[in-house]
Amino acid sequence: MLATVERNRVRGTVSHSPTLLRTLVTTRHLQRYESFVLRFEEAARTLAARERDPRLASATIGRRQYERWLSGNLTRRPHPDACRVLEQMFGRTVAELFGPADGAGA
């Protein structure tokens, strides 16, 4: 589904409804980059400990990446480690997070 959404965004045919990620960020009051990145890094450390993957402990994202994620204007999926952290953080798949929020039961 994410690939279809991404292809359609490139073509300009996707409605401008917010993604589930944007809706969850808003409802959890993580709109400020600094707030989001603290939670992202915390989720990365938790995942690193749980999966015994020390590389993840230092995972973070830049402001521009965060803004692209919130805009929903993606040309490809986030890097695999970022996907794992986002799924840890929100308890949803990346396909769900970057899909439309409509009817997703945020």
Side-chain angles (χ1 to χ4, degrees):
M1 178 175 150
L2 183 60
T4 301
V5 169
E6 289 170 356
R7 266 195 311 276
N8 290 339
R9 278 202 176 98
V10 170
R11 293 182 193 142
T13 60
V14 169
S15 68
H16 294 287
S17 63
T19 63
L20 179 58
L21 177 66
R22 184 175 189 96
T23 300
L24 291 171
V25 164
T26 301
T27 60
R28 295 179 184 189
H29 309 289
L30 299 173
Q31 298 96 316
R32 289 185 53 232
Y33 165 74
E34 295 80 8
S35 301
F36 183 89
V37 81
L38 284 173
R39 290 286 178 92
F40 185 89
E41 290 170 351
E42 179 182 304
R45 287 188 300 273
T46 299
L47 186 61
R50 189 179 76 219
E51 296 189 1
R52 294 184 177 101
D53 186 351
R55 279 180 321 102
L56 287 174
S58 60
T60 191
I61 62 160
R63 183 179 298 271
R64 292 185 69 204
Q65 185 63 52
Y66 168 74
E67 291 168 358
R68 279 190 293 270
W69 287 354
L70 282 191
S71 76
N73 191 16
L74 300 176
T75 56
R76 61 181 174 257
R77 284 181 182 253
H79 291 283
D81 288 344
C83 288
R84 293 169 60 199
V85 174
L86 285 169
E87 290 173 351
Q88 165 72 26
M89 203 173 159
F90 292 104
R92 304 287 184 106
T93 67
V94 169
E96 290 173 313
L97 290 170
F98 288 102
D102 303 338

